[in-house]
Amino acid sequence: MSVPQLPLALRYPPDQRLDAFVHAPPGAVEQLRALAQGPSRDSVYLAGPVGVGKTHLLLATCAATEAAGRRAAYLPLVAAAGRLRDALEALEGNDLIALDGLEVIAGQREDEVALFDAHNRARAAGVVLLYAARDIPDAIGLGLPDLRSRLGQCTRITLSPLDEEGR
């Protein structure tokens, strides 16, 4: 019986920091920095199209969490699709878990149930979940109504593409 390979915890690239993010919505960087610094009951959901910096903010928040002496993990969901329960269980014990590309598991019932269960366990344990997806929970094709409801309760930060001046 082979054991499924899970993503490894990697150090976060030095250019992926909260201070390096350009054109964040007002208060967004401060809110993510506060999540990294200490206990919070809030989970945050970053929404925006490809290329707006969702991954940058997830990695930067993980780096800030570790700089604050806390444990963080980043998981691109494309790497765990089809075996999300195992991947999420392997990340338990972190203070913050960043889950990137939520739309990848949309419509995959087992993965959606695994994420719903992990969300509930994390909330009970005081673990912060930081989600990122291309759109809001109701628009990415999630089939599990309870999961859509939980994600809809997250604090939402919507990112927009940079304008000509911002680029």
Side-chain angles (χ1 to χ4, degrees):
M1 177 175 165
S2 68
V3 176
Q5 185 177 3
L6 297 173
L8 299 175
L10 303 173
R11 292 293 142 229
Y12 308 104
D15 60 332
Q16 306 288 321
R17 297 295 182 261
L18 291 172
D19 292 337
F21 193 79
V22 177
H23 193 66
V29 169
E30 294 79 8
Q31 185 173 21
L32 294 172
R33 187 173 283 117
L35 279 180
Q37 293 298 313
S40 173
R41 300 288 298 172
D42 294 332
S43 289
V44 173
Y45 188 103
L46 301 175
V50 172
V52 295
K54 297 180 301 289
T55 298
H56 178 129
L57 288 175
L58 293 179
L59 293 170
T61 305
C62 286
T65 300
E66 289 192 353
R70 302 173 70 231
R71 294 185 57 196
Y74 168 81
L75 178 65
L77 292 182
V78 70
R83 55 196 168 102
L84 188 56
R85 184 168 304 279
D86 292 337
L88 291 169
E89 287 175 2
L91 298 178
E92 288 184 4
N94 285 287
D95 299 300
L96 180 139
I97 300 171
L99 302 171
D100 201 355
L102 192 56
E103 62 279 345
V104 171
I105 66 153
Q108 305 301 317
R109 180 146 178 90
E110 282 187 38
D111 284 348
E112 287 188 24
V113 170
L115 184 57
F116 175 76
D117 292 344
H119 183 94
N120 291 333
R121 283 192 314 275
R123 184 158 174 81
V127 174
V128 173
L129 292 174
L130 181 55
Y131 297 100
R134 292 183 184 154
D135 210 334
I136 62 173
D138 287 338
I140 61 170
L142 295 170
L144 190 63
D146 289 337
L147 178 59
R148 284 194 314 270
S149 173
R150 293 295 190 284
L151 296 173
Q153 295 169 1
C154 295
T155 300
R156 189 172 306 149
I157 298 172
T158 303
L159 303 172
S160 302
L162 289 176
D163 57 17
E164 193 64 37
E165 181 181 330
R167 281 188 292 254

